[in-house]
Amino acid sequence: MKKIGMGLVGPGFVAAHHIDAVRRLGDVDVVAIAGSSQQSAEKKAREYKVDKAYGNYHDLIADPNISVIHNTTPNYLHLPVTMAALAAGKHVISDKPLALNPEEARTMRDAAVKAKVAHVVTFNYRGNPLVQQARGMIARGECGDVSFVHGHYLQDWMTDPNVYSWRSDPAKGGSTSALGDIGSHWCDVAEHVSGLKIASVLAETTTVIPVRYSAGASAEAFSTKSSGERTPVNVTSEDLASVLLRFEGGAKGSFSVGQVLPGHKNDLVLEVNGKALSLKWKQEEQNDLWIGRHNRPNEIMAKDPALVSPDVRSYVHLPGGHQESWADAFFNLMRDAYAWIAEGGAPEAKPVMLPTFNDGYRSNCLVDAMLKSSAAGGVWQSVVFQAEIR
Amino acid sequence: MKKIGMGLVGPGFVAAHHIDAVRRLGDVDVVAIAGSSQQSAEKKAREYKVDKAYGNYHDLIADPNISVIHNTTPNYLHLPVTMAALAAGKHVISDKPLALNPEEARTMRDAAVKAKVAHVVTFNYRGNPLVQQARGMIARGECGDVSFVHGHYLQDWMTDPNVYSWRSDPAKGGSTSALGDIGSHWCDVAEHVSGLKIASVLAETTTVIPVRYSAGASAEAFSTKSSGERTPVNVTSEDLASVLLRFEGGAKGSFSVGQVLPGHKNDLVLEVNGKALSLKWKQEEQNDLWIGRHNRPNEIMAKDPALVSPDVRSYVHLPGGHQESWADAFFNLMRDAYAWIAEGGAPEAKPVMLPTFNDGYRSNCLVDAMLKSSAAGGVWQSVVFQAEIR
Amino acid sequence: MKKIGMGLVGPGFVAAHHIDAVRRLGDVDVVAIAGSSQQSAEKKAREYKVDKAYGNYHDLIADPNISVIHNTTPNYLHLPVTMAALAAGKHVISDKPLALNPEEARTMRDAAVKAKVAHVVTFNYRGNPLVQQARGMIARGECGDVSFVHGHYLQDWMTDPNVYSWRSDPAKGGSTSALGDIGSHWCDVAEHVSGLKIASVLAETTTVIPVRYSAGASAEAFSTKSSGERTPVNVTSEDLASVLLRFEGGAKGSFSVGQVLPGHKNDLVLEVNGKALSLKWKQEEQNDLWIGRHNRPNEIMAKDPALVSPDVRSYVHLPGGHQESWADAFFNLMRDAYAWIAEGGAPEAKPVMLPTFNDGYRSNCLVDAMLKSSAAGGVWQSVVFQAEIR
Amino acid sequence: MKKIGMGLVGPGFVAAHHIDAVRRLGDVDVVAIAGSSQQSAEKKAREYKVDKAYGNYHDLIADPNISVIHNTTPNYLHLPVTMAALAAGKHVISDKPLALNPEEARTMRDAAVKAKVAHVVTFNYRGNPLVQQARGMIARGECGDVSFVHGHYLQDWMTDPNVYSWRSDPAKGGSTSALGDIGSHWCDVAEHVSGLKIASVLAETTTVIPVRYSAGASAEAFSTKSSGERTPVNVTSEDLASVLLRFEGGAKGSFSVGQVLPGHKNDLVLEVNGKALSLKWKQEEQNDLWIGRHNRPNEIMAKDPALVSPDVRSYVHLPGGHQESWADAFFNLMRDAYAWIAEGGAPEAKPVMLPTFNDGYRSNCLVDAMLKSSAAGGVWQSVVFQAEIR
């Protein structure tokens, strides 16, 4: 069987999950990975059981056996790696956030469109079958007019001040932490599911832990290992934020994000209230969709091929009760991405579920508006977004 | 046994629960109720099995066998009834919101303090043992510094546009609906549990259903009975709101309230995040307290005399798993109220849990600041509150 | 208003809840209580705010102002107290289990029927609105043919070997512990809800903690207070049991009970599976009824007057989300009991929900069959029960 | 990189998940699949993106590039396929139940031991990190002496009488349905986690739906597609069963299984009660472990590398809240299987978690004892099991 070749740049925390997902496709070949040095790349290649390692991303991009680039570098490297890949005519699957700011993101979006390749950003929560079920129910009008879109995305992994990585460094992770890292996910799912666009935002951001202690060198995200002496670092990016939302068409919204809230692991909750019914999806209980009703009992729809809509069935791989979760949703994203790639990235062939650089750029615009609102002391800020020109 | 006499003015929805709670005390005598007419009062008296009925509140207040007045009238009547009761030297237990606006509320608060009687406002959710447990844990510093206080209070009983009562009429219910009716409860519990005061607010309010259909006459709250012809009424009070909070001392907060969100019955959730641990209490699962931790498993503390703190045990009446809920929390409030009354309402004898007119006035100030913030298009608004002068 | 007079014999743990429930009725007068001595009775009378105290039950039964006797004595005293009350023509509300064995129970049942008074046994879980909802749904055939009735009733209050009371003493509590105390509740709810009768049983019983340490004197149930020296006592009654059931008509069943299972407070779960749908009710989440379906999403019916069947509404006192629990279900039982008493205990006037001495006798027969099955090493044992003869 | 070659015989429902899991390993090559005909095998090969297809299993086993055989045939073919593979010196990974009866299973177990190859049976629920966590906690004595092991495994996929496959045909699926298919899983997890062996059983089995309607031909399991005319078939295997258990050492147990219980999808629950604490694991909420305590709040341990024991961490691939579920547990099983294969299947190299043919044989012995107990009308039946001889 002819396989499509992929290469990955940036073998950090999430890289293993990219590789895992594409291996499950069966017809994708993990050709090579590129790291910051030949030595580190080879170490990671052995760990991930990949045959080839490159000490820089240029060589990987130039590899003729590779037609898809997975960009899992720290945020500040998204731009150069992706632009180089696009210039070489390669398809690109980039981690989120797409860029450090809307300008960079727009540059990539426009370049990708011009390059006529597939361009994907990993807003992976879309890959859950019941997220698609909720999106479909709202799109078909089953919820009635949407009045309120709300929820939160709460974590506790930064509770310990000894947690410090490139993510907290403005130069490498961007000027935002909670909003950029997880608020971006929440907003993407909120707009994707509700079918509504956020028109303006009002944000209140906070840095609960303003001094963190760095173990130096290249500490990986989600690592809490202490390694000898630690250096205090002033942190300016927010680890807590609450945001009010006004959607186009009049619906309202609100959400909170936090990375320092003990007991919350990856607690993303989205609820959409319509005049006819409400839908609530909790990422940590992703196999259930809560359907709230006024005059009838509430329902819990299980992720079950027999219960979801026909168009959602292809995202379900097991009978109900045989739960599918993070890696399976990530797989669904990659499956749709490679289906698009198989069509050469033709715009009209893009699966509806698949988040593109356009969505990644939009996400940067949303977060940017929130940061501006908060910096101005809490004022309503319109979302500035330049639509794609084909 | 000598019993203390109580009389109730305003035999609507919540009156039956006042009577129920005081009957459980064993040493309180329900002497009489007063309604808007002799006939309606007598009808309700029979229904509630009360011996005496008055056609106006003046006569009830004048009854020498009555020393405690329960004021469960519609909001716009809180002021005259309570002021008359205070003038007669009677103790007063008033439904919330205490008044239509801060001025009225302050008038009552000041009059009550001057009258040297017990004055209670029914922020009944304080009466839950695990609300007291949470309050105590935070007061003792077990949560560490509080960074975030958040949650919601969501209902669906106004989802149907045919729901219309005095509560939606600005003249009788006040200019607010969701914030005044349930936002007031949320903020009271939030301040009571966290031990923190809200310094300023920023609110976004919405009227999701701007036209309702009145069945005329005196439709009771929570009633959805249709009765012939209905008249469209423009509703201006909000049935949905989201609010950002800044607490004194630096903690942040946010909450949403809504009365038109299908599937939510009485869904009050309060979470307080400290740097050491988080606490979450859900009113609809009031026998569990969620304790969130970063480096240890989360805990679920059951309402159990063996698990709660010693000072909380008197609020628990049954072993763990023998659940206690709305009426039991309401009873606890009344028990503490009558304990205070037994001490003549002496300020120093007030049980810590018990919400007074001072809390009722504060609640009006908070809601007023929210309405002003929203009316101004969404700006931070300081909470204006005149402290009690003894 | 003319009130009906009640007197209570046996002021232990549950007595306070009997008094609490009847006080809520509004037209019942708690006339007196009787204890094992004049002194102890007076102490309890003050605690419960009851005017009159008797040092023996004979005097209380003879009190002409008392027409209803609440028998909350330890199990071995149920018979003499109840027989004396019936002989005096008084209505009797007895705690469960009705008796120490089927013979005693049948004697009381027959005497009560002959006395033509109201006779009630406190299988209080029937008083939950959603238990009645489940019963009605099954009776109306909404579940289809019932195939399986199962669940458990698990507690942990006897986990500590220092817990010892009359309940563990065969002479006072009977030869059974877990089956008699909580298995009886489970079976009553199972038969009441399913509408099916248990035809035969097969039980395996265990005494996990065969030696307990008595603090002597009259330790109350649910008390864990240590008081000086403790004496080891060999315990022979079971604290753990599993039972297989065959119902008349062919349905099967199974349940487990345990009192030494850490973490379970009052964890009664009943599930009934029909061919069309399943119903599950959890006592600790008594405001929700789970409705399981094969080809549609499962439902959660909230205790809400707008959601339950019309015949169940009188058991609901608050809107959905305003939870009702143990004391409210107990109240419902007492309300129906006094409604029956108001009709003089006429057989045809008995509310369907209300458990009578006939149900109490049946419960003793069921437990007796289980004990015989287990004693025989685990054999199927038919339930022997003599139907009421009018 | 040198890859190990695997081939799969029996491309039905579960085959795709075997292939998916081994692909995630990165160093296993899916060489070929064998079906019942060349044509059907080729069709499945294309679907699964496998290069080579065989029309019979003998040719696949003979393929020199294949060193591991995955046996996912219908139950009645487990024996011939596995015996042929063992005869060829191949490692074998077999679906459960290992065989139609204990004799067949023992034959395979003995042959596998003699062949000195790796032999694995897919009791995949062991692969869940929190199952391993529970096993470790009990093994280390954290729960105290175990008194009770209980739970259930309930499904509803056979609720519809039109569901009929080889699984209901005694000649192909064996004489048991619910006990063999899912009871086997429950018992395996129960013994694995508790560390205790079931000594004797007492079972009550039922066929709730005695007539099913076959669509003929080779209907796949879990398929409900109707295809024209259907033929009634008498079904004799049980679709519902309840079982009492006695463990070696004195602990007791009970569980129920059912395949016709509406609303239950894959509802496996295992609880182990010790004298110190209880553990409960629900397969449908597999990322939480409930820890029940008597004198402290209960705990919910999340699947989080920072919370589980060090020896469990290798089964965790994502941070807490990033849920892992069915496919991930299945992957963990395959990972350990191939780790054992990499050691040539040397007995001393077998990972503790990994279920072998010995466990598969034991499972057949347990189910056999249950069937005999039920056939005898419900008597205690000792488990007959011949220990492995090396």
Side-chain angles (χ1 to χ4, degrees):
Chain A
M1 189 187 315
K2 195 177 170 321
K3 293 191 174 183
I4 190 161
M6 74 81 103
L8 179 143
V9 184
F13 163 70
V14 86
H17 303 288
H18 280 247
I19 292 171
D20 177 74
V22 300
R23 278 188 172 137
R24 298 174 80 175
L25 289 167
D27 54 3
V28 176
D29 194 23
V30 181
V31 175
I33 63 172
S36 51
S37 74
Q38 186 64 31
Q39 191 183 5
S40 70
E42 285 179 2
K43 181 167 174 292
K44 282 290 184 180
R46 279 192 299 275
E47 185 184 323
Y48 298 157
K49 301 174 183 167
V50 173
D51 281 323
K52 202 180 292 183
Y54 288 107
N56 68 79
Y57 66 82
H58 300 286
D59 292 352
L60 182 140
I61 289 170
D63 188 323
N65 290 322
I66 291 173
S67 52
V68 187
I69 307 296
H70 287 241
N71 185 353
T72 60
T73 57
N75 300 349
Y76 74 107
L77 290 174
H78 285 186
L79 183 72
V81 172
T82 285
M83 292 305 283
L86 292 173
K90 307 282 167 113
H91 305 286
V92 182
I93 297 174
S94 171
D95 248 27
K96 43 61 53 183
L98 182 58
L100 294 181
N101 53 56
E103 293 68 34
E104 284 190 0
R106 187 181 168 197
T107 300
M108 285 186 263
R109 192 270 315 261
D110 290 346
V113 169
K114 202 172 161 192
K116 294 185 189 299
V117 296
H119 46 97
V120 176
V121 66
T122 54
F123 285 125
N124 47 291
Y125 295 114
R126 293 192 188 188
N128 285 281
L130 292 178
V131 166
Q132 292 306 312
Q133 176 69 19
R135 190 186 61 74
M137 289 175 73
I138 293 168
R140 289 189 297 273
E142 296 177 21
C143 297
D145 288 346
V146 170
S147 55
F148 195 38
V149 180
H150 56 114
H152 59 239
Y153 196 162
L154 309 180
Q155 299 183 327
D156 73 357
W157 69 282
M158 293 178 71
T159 299
D160 181 347
N162 283 326
V163 172
Y164 182 82
S165 72
W166 60 260
R167 290 168 187 256
S168 299
D169 178 352
K172 295 186 176 168
S175 54
T176 170
S177 180
L179 286 172
D181 193 32
I182 55 180
S184 58
H185 270 300
W186 192 91
C187 290
D188 179 74
V189 176
E191 288 196 344
H192 182 65
V193 166
S194 72
L196 299 174
K197 294 295 175 194
I198 297 166
S200 55
V201 303
L202 193 157
E204 170 83 345
T205 64
T206 312
T207 306
V208 173
I209 301 183
V211 179
R212 293 188 171 274
Y213 298 89
S214 168
S218 57
E220 275 196 20
F222 299 110
S223 166
T224 57
K225 286 173 194 163
S226 68
S227 54
E229 295 289 304
R230 286 182 170 272
T231 317
V233 185
N234 290 320
V235 174
T236 55
S237 56
E238 85 291 347
D239 48 23
L240 176 67
S242 293
V243 187
L244 306 180
L245 304 172
R246 290 174 179 164
F247 287 85
E248 293 176 10
K252 301 297 178 71
S254 77
F255 73 97
S256 292
V257 292
Q259 300 170 310
V260 293
L261 306 179
H264 294 280
K265 300 309 175 196
N266 198 37
D267 184 8
L268 187 168
V269 174
L270 174 70
E271 177 168 336
V272 180
N273 305 107
K275 289 190 178 174
L277 55 80
S278 302
L279 296 176
K280 180 159 56 183
W281 182 77
K282 299 183 177 186
Q283 191 280 138
E284 293 188 347
E285 301 169 19
Q286 64 262 78
N287 293 281
D288 286 332
L289 178 64
W290 181 82
I291 304 172
R293 298 176 184 278
H294 175 225
N295 280 322
R296 283 176 42 191
N298 294 334
E299 293 178 333
I300 306 289
M301 181 186 285
K303 172 214 66 74
D304 187 307
L307 297 179
V308 299
S309 305
D311 59 306
V312 174
R313 273 178 208 147
S314 77
Y315 296 101
V316 178
H317 308 286
L318 285 160
H322 298 72
Q323 309 298 42
E324 302 178 55
S325 51
W326 198 92
D328 304 300
F330 204 80
F331 166 81
N332 284 335
L333 188 92
M334 291 300 168
R335 189 197 57 179
D336 278 13
Y338 278 84
W340 194 24
I341 289 165
E343 302 293 330
E348 65 280 5
K350 189 193 84 68
V352 171
M353 177 271 260
L354 202 64
T356 68
F357 281 14
N358 198 52
D359 300 300
Y361 162 51
R362 179 161 182 85
S363 180
N364 274 109
C365 297
L366 289 168
V367 171
D368 190 61
M370 292 169 197
L371 296 176
K372 282 180 176 147
S373 166
S374 181
V379 296
W380 282 101
Q381 180 79 31
S382 295
V383 176
V384 178
F385 171 79
Q386 304 291 331
E388 187 178 333
I389 301 160
R390 289 189 190 169
Chain B
M1 189 187 314
K2 195 177 171 321
K3 294 191 173 181
I4 190 161
M6 74 82 103
L8 180 142
V9 183
F13 162 70
V14 86
H17 303 288
H18 279 248
I19 292 171
D20 178 73
V22 299
R23 276 188 172 137
R24 299 174 79 174
L25 289 167
D27 54 3
V28 176
D29 193 23
V30 182
V31 175
I33 62 171
S36 51
S37 73
Q38 186 65 30
Q39 191 185 6
S40 69
E42 285 179 4
K43 181 166 173 290
K44 284 289 183 179
R46 279 191 301 274
E47 185 184 325
Y48 298 157
K49 300 173 184 166
V50 174
D51 281 324
K52 203 180 291 184
Y54 290 106
N56 68 79
Y57 64 83
H58 300 287
D59 291 350
L60 181 140
I61 290 171
D63 188 324
N65 291 320
I66 292 174
S67 52
V68 187
I69 306 298
H70 287 241
N71 185 353
T72 59
T73 57
N75 300 348
Y76 75 106
L77 291 175
H78 285 185
L79 184 72
V81 172
T82 285
M83 292 304 283
L86 293 173
K90 308 281 167 111
H91 305 286
V92 182
I93 297 174
S94 172
D95 249 26
K96 43 59 57 183
L98 182 57
L100 295 181
N101 54 57
E103 293 68 36
E104 282 189 2
R106 188 182 167 198
T107 301
M108 283 187 265
R109 192 271 315 261
D110 290 347
V113 169
K114 201 171 161 194
K116 295 184 189 302
V117 294
H119 46 96
V120 176
V121 65
T122 54
F123 284 127
N124 47 291
Y125 295 114
R126 292 191 187 189
N128 285 281
L130 293 177
V131 166
Q132 292 306 312
Q133 177 68 19
R135 190 186 61 76
M137 290 175 72
I138 293 168
R140 288 189 296 273
E142 296 176 22
C143 297
D145 288 345
V146 170
S147 54
F148 196 36
V149 180
H150 56 114
H152 59 239
Y153 196 162
L154 309 180
Q155 299 183 328
D156 73 357
W157 68 283
M158 292 178 73
T159 299
D160 181 348
N162 284 325
V163 172
Y164 182 82
S165 72
W166 59 262
R167 289 168 187 258
S168 299
D169 177 352
K172 295 186 176 169
S175 54
T176 170
S177 179
L179 287 172
D181 193 31
I182 55 180
S184 58
H185 269 301
W186 192 91
C187 291
D188 180 74
V189 176
E191 287 197 346
H192 183 66
V193 166
S194 71
L196 300 174
K197 294 295 174 195
I198 297 167
S200 55
V201 302
L202 193 156
E204 170 82 346
T205 63
T206 311
T207 306
V208 173
I209 301 184
V211 178
R212 293 188 172 275
Y213 298 89
S214 168
S218 56
E220 276 196 20
F222 300 111
S223 167
T224 57
K225 286 173 194 163
S226 69
S227 54
E229 295 288 304
R230 286 181 170 273
T231 316
V233 184
N234 289 321
V235 174
T236 54
S237 56
E238 83 292 346
D239 47 23
L240 176 68
S242 292
V243 187
L244 305 180
L245 304 171
R246 290 174 180 164
F247 287 85
E248 292 176 12
K252 301 297 178 69
S254 77
F255 73 97
S256 292
V257 291
Q259 299 170 310
V260 293
L261 306 178
H264 294 280
K265 299 309 176 196
N266 198 37
D267 185 8
L268 187 169
V269 174
L270 174 71
E271 178 167 335
V272 180
N273 305 107
K275 290 191 177 172
L277 56 80
S278 301
L279 297 176
K280 180 160 55 184
W281 182 77
K282 299 183 177 186
Q283 191 279 136
E284 293 187 347
E285 301 169 19
Q286 65 262 77
N287 292 282
D288 286 333
L289 178 65
W290 181 83
I291 304 171
R293 298 176 184 279
H294 176 224
N295 280 322
R296 283 174 43 189
N298 295 334
E299 294 177 332
I300 307 289
M301 180 187 286
K303 171 213 67 74
D304 186 306
L307 298 178
V308 299
S309 305
D311 59 306
V312 174
R313 273 179 208 147
S314 78
Y315 296 102
V316 178
H317 308 286
L318 286 160
H322 299 72
Q323 309 299 42
E324 303 177 55
S325 51
W326 198 92
D328 304 301
F330 204 81
F331 166 81
N332 284 335
L333 188 90
M334 291 301 166
R335 189 197 56 179
D336 277 14
Y338 279 85
W340 195 24
I341 288 166
E343 302 292 330
E348 65 280 4
K350 189 193 83 71
V352 171
M353 177 270 259
L354 201 65
T356 66
F357 281 14
N358 198 51
D359 301 299
Y361 162 51
R362 181 164 180 82
S363 180
N364 274 108
C365 297
L366 289 168
V367 171
D368 189 61
M370 293 169 197
L371 296 176
K372 282 180 175 146
S373 167
S374 181
V379 296
W380 282 101
Q381 180 79 31
S382 295
V383 176
V384 178
F385 171 80
Q386 305 291 332
E388 186 178 334
I389 301 159
R390 290 187 189 172
Chain C
M1 190 186 315
K2 194 176 171 324
K3 294 191 173 181
I4 189 161
M6 74 81 104
L8 180 143
V9 183
F13 163 71
V14 87
H17 303 287
H18 279 248
I19 292 171
D20 178 73
V22 300
R23 277 187 172 136
R24 298 174 80 174
L25 289 168
D27 54 3
V28 176
D29 193 22
V30 182
V31 175
I33 62 173
S36 50
S37 73
Q38 186 65 30
Q39 191 184 7
S40 69
E42 285 179 4
K43 182 166 172 291
K44 283 291 183 180
R46 279 191 301 275
E47 185 184 323
Y48 298 158
K49 300 174 185 167
V50 173
D51 282 324
K52 203 181 289 184
Y54 289 107
N56 68 80
Y57 65 83
H58 300 288
D59 292 350
L60 182 139
I61 290 171
D63 188 323
N65 292 320
I66 293 175
S67 52
V68 187
I69 306 298
H70 287 241
N71 185 353
T72 59
T73 57
N75 300 349
Y76 74 107
L77 290 175
H78 284 186
L79 183 72
V81 171
T82 285
M83 292 304 283
L86 292 174
K90 307 282 167 114
H91 305 286
V92 182
I93 298 175
S94 172
D95 248 26
K96 41 61 55 184
L98 182 57
L100 294 182
N101 54 55
E103 292 68 36
E104 283 190 2
R106 188 181 167 196
T107 300
M108 284 187 263
R109 193 270 316 261
D110 291 346
V113 169
K114 201 171 163 194
K116 296 185 189 299
V117 295
H119 47 95
V120 176
V121 65
T122 54
F123 284 126
N124 48 289
Y125 295 114
R126 293 192 186 189
N128 284 281
L130 293 177
V131 166
Q132 291 306 312
Q133 177 69 21
R135 190 186 62 74
M137 290 176 72
I138 292 168
R140 289 189 297 273
E142 296 177 22
C143 297
D145 288 345
V146 169
S147 54
F148 195 37
V149 180
H150 56 114
H152 59 240
Y153 196 161
L154 310 180
Q155 299 183 327
D156 73 357
W157 68 282
M158 292 178 72
T159 299
D160 181 348
N162 284 325
V163 172
Y164 182 82
S165 71
W166 59 261
R167 288 167 189 258
S168 299
D169 177 351
K172 295 185 176 170
S175 54
T176 170
S177 180
L179 286 172
D181 193 31
I182 55 180
S184 58
H185 270 301
W186 192 91
C187 291
D188 180 73
V189 176
E191 288 197 344
H192 183 65
V193 166
S194 71
L196 300 174
K197 294 296 173 194
I198 297 167
S200 55
V201 302
L202 192 157
E204 170 83 346
T205 63
T206 311
T207 306
V208 173
I209 301 183
V211 178
R212 293 188 171 275
Y213 299 88
S214 168
S218 57
E220 275 195 21
F222 299 111
S223 167
T224 57
K225 285 173 195 162
S226 68
S227 55
E229 295 288 305
R230 286 182 170 272
T231 316
V233 184
N234 289 321
V235 174
T236 54
S237 56
E238 84 291 348
D239 48 22
L240 175 68
S242 292
V243 187
L244 304 180
L245 305 172
R246 290 175 180 164
F247 286 86
E248 293 175 11
K252 302 296 179 72
S254 77
F255 73 97
S256 292
V257 292
Q259 299 171 310
V260 293
L261 307 178
H264 294 280
K265 300 309 176 196
N266 198 38
D267 185 6
L268 187 169
V269 175
L270 173 71
E271 178 167 334
V272 180
N273 305 107
K275 289 191 177 173
L277 55 79
S278 301
L279 297 176
K280 180 160 54 184
W281 183 77
K282 299 184 177 185
Q283 190 279 137
E284 293 188 347
E285 301 169 18
Q286 64 263 79
N287 292 280
D288 286 334
L289 178 66
W290 181 83
I291 304 171
R293 298 176 183 279
H294 176 225
N295 280 322
R296 284 174 43 189
N298 294 334
E299 293 177 332
I300 307 288
M301 180 186 287
K303 172 215 65 75
D304 187 306
L307 298 179
V308 299
S309 304
D311 58 307
V312 174
R313 273 180 209 144
S314 78
Y315 296 101
V316 178
H317 308 286
L318 286 161
H322 298 72
Q323 309 298 43
E324 302 178 54
S325 49
W326 198 92
D328 304 301
F330 204 80
F331 166 81
N332 285 335
L333 188 90
M334 290 301 167
R335 189 198 57 180
D336 278 12
Y338 278 85
W340 195 24
I341 289 165
E343 302 292 330
E348 65 280 5
K350 189 193 84 71
V352 171
M353 176 270 260
L354 202 65
T356 66
F357 281 15
N358 198 50
D359 301 299
Y361 162 52
R362 179 162 182 84
S363 181
N364 274 109
C365 296
L366 290 168
V367 170
D368 188 62
M370 293 170 198
L371 295 178
K372 282 180 176 148
S373 166
S374 182
V379 296
W380 281 102
Q381 179 80 30
S382 295
V383 176
V384 178
F385 172 79
Q386 306 291 332
E388 185 178 334
I389 301 161
R390 290 189 191 171
Chain D
M1 189 186 315
K2 194 175 172 325
K3 293 191 173 181
I4 189 160
M6 74 82 104
L8 179 142
V9 183
F13 163 70
V14 87
H17 303 288
H18 279 248
I19 292 172
D20 178 74
V22 300
R23 277 188 171 136
R24 298 173 80 174
L25 289 167
D27 54 3
V28 176
D29 194 22
V30 182
V31 176
I33 62 172
S36 51
S37 74
Q38 187 64 31
Q39 190 184 6
S40 69
E42 285 179 5
K43 181 166 174 289
K44 284 288 183 180
R46 279 191 300 275
E47 185 184 324
Y48 298 158
K49 299 172 185 170
V50 174
D51 282 324
K52 202 180 291 184
Y54 289 107
N56 67 79
Y57 66 82
H58 299 289
D59 291 350
L60 182 140
I61 289 171
D63 188 323
N65 291 322
I66 291 174
S67 51
V68 186
I69 306 297
H70 288 240
N71 185 353
T72 59
T73 56
N75 300 348
Y76 74 106
L77 290 175
H78 285 186
L79 183 73
V81 172
T82 285
M83 292 305 283
L86 292 173
K90 308 282 168 115
H91 305 286
V92 181
I93 298 174
S94 171
D95 247 26
K96 42 61 53 183
L98 183 57
L100 294 182
N101 55 55
E103 293 67 35
E104 284 190 2
R106 188 181 168 196
T107 300
M108 284 187 262
R109 192 271 315 262
D110 291 346
V113 169
K114 200 171 164 196
K116 295 185 191 300
V117 294
H119 46 96
V120 176
V121 67
T122 53
F123 284 126
N124 47 291
Y125 294 113
R126 292 192 188 189
N128 285 281
L130 293 177
V131 167
Q132 292 306 311
Q133 177 69 19
R135 190 187 60 77
M137 290 175 72
I138 293 168
R140 288 188 298 274
E142 297 177 21
C143 298
D145 289 345
V146 170
S147 54
F148 196 37
V149 180
H150 56 114
H152 59 239
Y153 196 161
L154 310 180
Q155 300 183 327
D156 72 357
W157 68 282
M158 294 179 71
T159 299
D160 181 348
N162 284 325
V163 172
Y164 182 83
S165 72
W166 60 261
R167 289 167 188 257
S168 300
D169 178 352
K172 295 185 176 169
S175 54
T176 169
S177 179
L179 286 172
D181 192 32
I182 55 180
S184 59
H185 269 301
W186 192 91
C187 290
D188 180 74
V189 176
E191 287 196 344
H192 183 66
V193 166
S194 72
L196 300 174
K197 294 296 176 195
I198 297 167
S200 55
V201 302
L202 193 157
E204 169 83 347
T205 64
T206 312
T207 306
V208 173
I209 301 183
V211 179
R212 293 188 171 276
Y213 298 88
S214 168
S218 59
E220 276 197 18
F222 299 111
S223 167
T224 57
K225 286 173 195 162
S226 67
S227 54
E229 296 288 305
R230 285 181 169 272
T231 316
V233 185
N234 290 321
V235 174
T236 55
S237 56
E238 84 291 348
D239 48 23
L240 176 67
S242 292
V243 187
L244 305 180
L245 304 171
R246 290 174 180 165
F247 287 86
E248 293 175 10
K252 301 296 178 71
S254 77
F255 73 97
S256 292
V257 292
Q259 299 170 311
V260 292
L261 306 178
H264 294 279
K265 300 309 176 195
N266 197 39
D267 184 8
L268 187 169
V269 174
L270 174 70
E271 178 167 336
V272 180
N273 305 107
K275 288 191 178 172
L277 55 79
S278 302
L279 297 175
K280 181 161 55 184
W281 183 78
K282 299 183 177 186
Q283 191 279 137
E284 293 188 347
E285 300 169 19
Q286 65 261 80
N287 292 279
D288 286 332
L289 179 65
W290 180 83
I291 304 171
R293 298 176 183 279
H294 175 223
N295 280 323
R296 284 174 43 191
N298 294 335
E299 294 177 334
I300 306 289
M301 180 187 285
K303 172 214 64 77
D304 187 306
L307 297 179
V308 299
S309 304
D311 59 306
V312 174
R313 275 181 206 144
S314 78
Y315 296 101
V316 178
H317 308 286
L318 285 161
H322 298 73
Q323 309 300 42
E324 303 177 53
S325 50
W326 197 92
D328 304 300
F330 204 81
F331 166 82
N332 284 335
L333 188 91
M334 291 301 168
R335 190 197 57 180
D336 278 13
Y338 278 85
W340 194 24
I341 289 166
E343 302 292 331
E348 65 281 5
K350 189 193 83 71
V352 171
M353 177 271 260
L354 202 64
T356 67
F357 281 14
N358 198 51
D359 301 300
Y361 162 52
R362 178 161 183 83
S363 180
N364 274 110
C365 297
L366 289 169
V367 171
D368 189 61
M370 292 169 198
L371 296 176
K372 281 179 176 146
S373 166
S374 181
V379 297
W380 281 101
Q381 179 79 31
S382 294
V383 176
V384 178
F385 171 79
Q386 304 292 332
E388 186 178 333
I389 301 159
R390 291 188 189 170

